[in-house]
Amino acid sequence: MQVKRAFFCFLIIVLCAISLKSQDRNRQFMAYIDQYKLVAMDHQKRFQIPSSITLAQGLLESGAGNSQLTKESNNHFGIKCNNNWVGPKVFHDDDIKNDCFRSYNKADESYEDHSIFLSRNPRYAFLFTLNIRDYRGWAEGLQRAGYATDKSYANKLIKVIEDFQLYEFDDLKLAKAETKKESSEHHKVKRNERPTFISNELLYVVAKRGDTYEAIAEDMGFKVKDLAKYNETPEDFPLKQGDIVYLEKKNKKVKGGNERHVVKPGESMHSISQIYGIRMASLYKLNKLDGEYVPQDSDVLKLK
């Protein structure tokens, strides 16, 4: 009995430590977002880079402003020196020993350099043909273009954006006008005229270009809050063309023959749960994972 009690106490201490660590991380992330969100939004207007992508990259590359490189040299994006760089330099071990990194007088200069780097580099030119609110396409594209060597880089960006709802900062006046123009045709559709489909014994519709929960709710006779609840997202979650939108609560386990899913670049736990109509809590529980887990390329997840 004493052994069991001691183990139980130890387990409680471990869980409390994990919870406190997660809370501290969230506070640091939120403080960073609050400090740099206006810079990211300004750069979206000037360079057409989604605010969510800029913030997510800054959070990951700088450790929410706590990395040694960021503290010592205001380098928030890990940008290295090259033959054309004539500014201050610092040296840190990275891909090679004593790798050369750019140093800045203030954080704004780092953000400016990052935006210029992306917008003028031909390697990333295709990203600027994407919709400004397509953060998933941007995350996948950055990884595909070789921005980082981490095979799960796109998935990490997507998780941070969705965990902290950074996509809200992409909704500038220009984006709102474009979304309104693109989705105007949807409001002309009469209720219940959208085609519906069934997968995993669940009824769903497929999002169109410029779609919103509001437009789908109006067409199908649902409340926006119910659609958001069924699909486990906030009500203002930005839908992408081809997204599955469930019209009923997802299952606790996958129906049918699928037993495992092999993770691909650009996938999150939410996007995987949408594919199979399984609740995110169940997906985490089945695989004995916590909320900090980021799906990595080629990981295998149980579905039942």
Side-chain angles (χ1 to χ4, degrees):
M1 181 65 72
Q2 290 182 345
V3 174
K4 288 184 178 179
R5 186 179 293 114
F7 176 75
F8 180 74
C9 291
F10 173 75
L11 184 60
I12 292 296
I13 291 171
V14 171
L15 291 174
C16 287
I18 293 173
S19 177
L20 289 173
K21 183 178 180 181
S22 178
Q23 289 175 20
D24 184 55
R25 173 182 177 272
N26 288 346
R27 280 194 295 269
Q28 291 177 10
F29 272 48
M30 290 305 297
Y32 186 94
I33 292 165
D34 189 55
Q35 185 173 0
Y36 295 109
K37 62 186 179 184
L38 293 181
V39 178
M41 294 172 75
D42 175 61
H43 282 218
Q44 177 173 317
K45 293 178 182 177
R46 292 169 55 203
F47 297 98
Q48 298 302 301
I49 300 169
S51 303
S52 59
I53 289 293
T54 299
L55 284 169
Q57 286 194 285
L59 282 162
L60 290 178
E61 302 289 346
S62 75
N66 292 310
S67 73
Q68 183 181 356
L69 180 64
T70 302
K71 288 181 177 179
E72 291 182 356
S73 54
N74 287 310
N75 190 330
H76 284 246
F77 299 92
I79 298 181
K80 296 182 180 181
C81 308
N82 56 28
N83 295 333
N84 298 323
W85 178 248
V86 295
K89 305 173 182 178
V90 292
F91 298 89
H92 289 272
D93 293 346
D94 192 53
D95 294 332
I96 60 174
K97 189 174 180 63
N98 288 326
D99 236 348
C100 182
F101 290 87
R102 301 182 184 187
S103 180
Y104 306 95
N105 293 321
K106 54 185 179 180
D108 284 8
E109 294 177 0
S110 176
Y111 271 79
E112 185 85 8
D113 207 15
H114 171 259
S115 294
I116 291 173
F117 172 76
L118 288 182
S119 60
R120 294 183 183 177
N121 194 322
R123 178 191 295 182
Y124 305 109
F126 71 97
L127 293 172
F128 294 87
T129 65
L130 300 176
N131 187 295
I132 198 69
R133 302 199 71 187
D134 184 9
Y135 65 86
R136 284 173 276 186
W138 266 82
E140 294 166 22
L142 282 168
Q143 180 172 326
R144 191 165 67 250
Y147 184 92
T149 56
D150 185 352
K151 291 184 178 180
S152 60
Y153 186 71
N155 299 6
K156 287 179 179 178
L157 287 176
I158 291 169
K159 179 172 173 57
V160 169
I161 291 170
E162 294 182 349
D163 281 355
F164 293 92
Q165 300 176 30
L166 301 183
Y167 47 76
E168 292 181 349
F169 300 116
D170 297 337
D171 194 11
L172 306 181
K173 290 182 178 180
L174 176 61
K176 287 180 179 178
E178 289 176 346
T179 301
K180 183 177 180 181
K181 180 180 179 181
E182 291 171 354
S183 62
S184 61
E185 61 187 87
H186 302 307
H187 294 279
K188 299 176 183 178
V189 180
K190 294 182 180 179
R191 180 174 291 182
N192 292 325
E193 286 195 1
R194 288 188 183 228
T196 56
F197 309 89
I198 295 178
S199 178
N200 299 308
E201 300 181 10
L202 295 171
L203 191 68
Y204 70 92
V205 296
V206 177
K208 304 174 184 178
R209 186 184 181 197
D211 232 340
T212 63
Y213 280 141
E214 184 178 0
I216 295 173
E218 182 178 336
D219 291 345
M220 303 303 293
F222 282 81
K223 294 180 179 178
V224 174
K225 66 178 183 179
D226 288 337
L227 289 181
K229 182 179 179 181
Y230 297 154
N231 293 276
E232 301 181 282
T233 66
E235 292 181 14
D236 62 351
F237 184 77
L239 295 174
K240 183 179 178 182
Q241 184 175 0
D243 278 354
I244 291 173
V245 179
Y246 289 106
L247 304 180
E248 54 187 315
K249 189 179 291 187
K250 289 185 285 187
N251 299 313
K252 290 184 178 180
K253 60 181 180 180
V254 172
K255 308 288 185 179
N258 294 302
E259 296 187 356
R260 286 178 171 76
H261 175 81
V262 180
V263 177
K264 303 177 185 66
E267 290 187 327
S268 64
M269 290 296 273
H270 177 260
S271 68
I272 295 169
S273 76
Q274 291 295 102
I275 293 172
Y276 298 102
I278 183 174
R279 299 176 200 174
M280 288 179 65
S282 298
L283 192 56
Y284 278 109
K285 186 176 180 181
L286 276 169
N287 291 278
K288 299 179 181 179
L289 299 168
D290 60 33
E292 298 302 315
Y293 166 74
V294 178
Q296 298 187 29
D297 186 20
S298 300
D299 277 1
V300 179
L301 298 176
K302 294 179 182 178
L303 300 175
K304 57 174 63 176

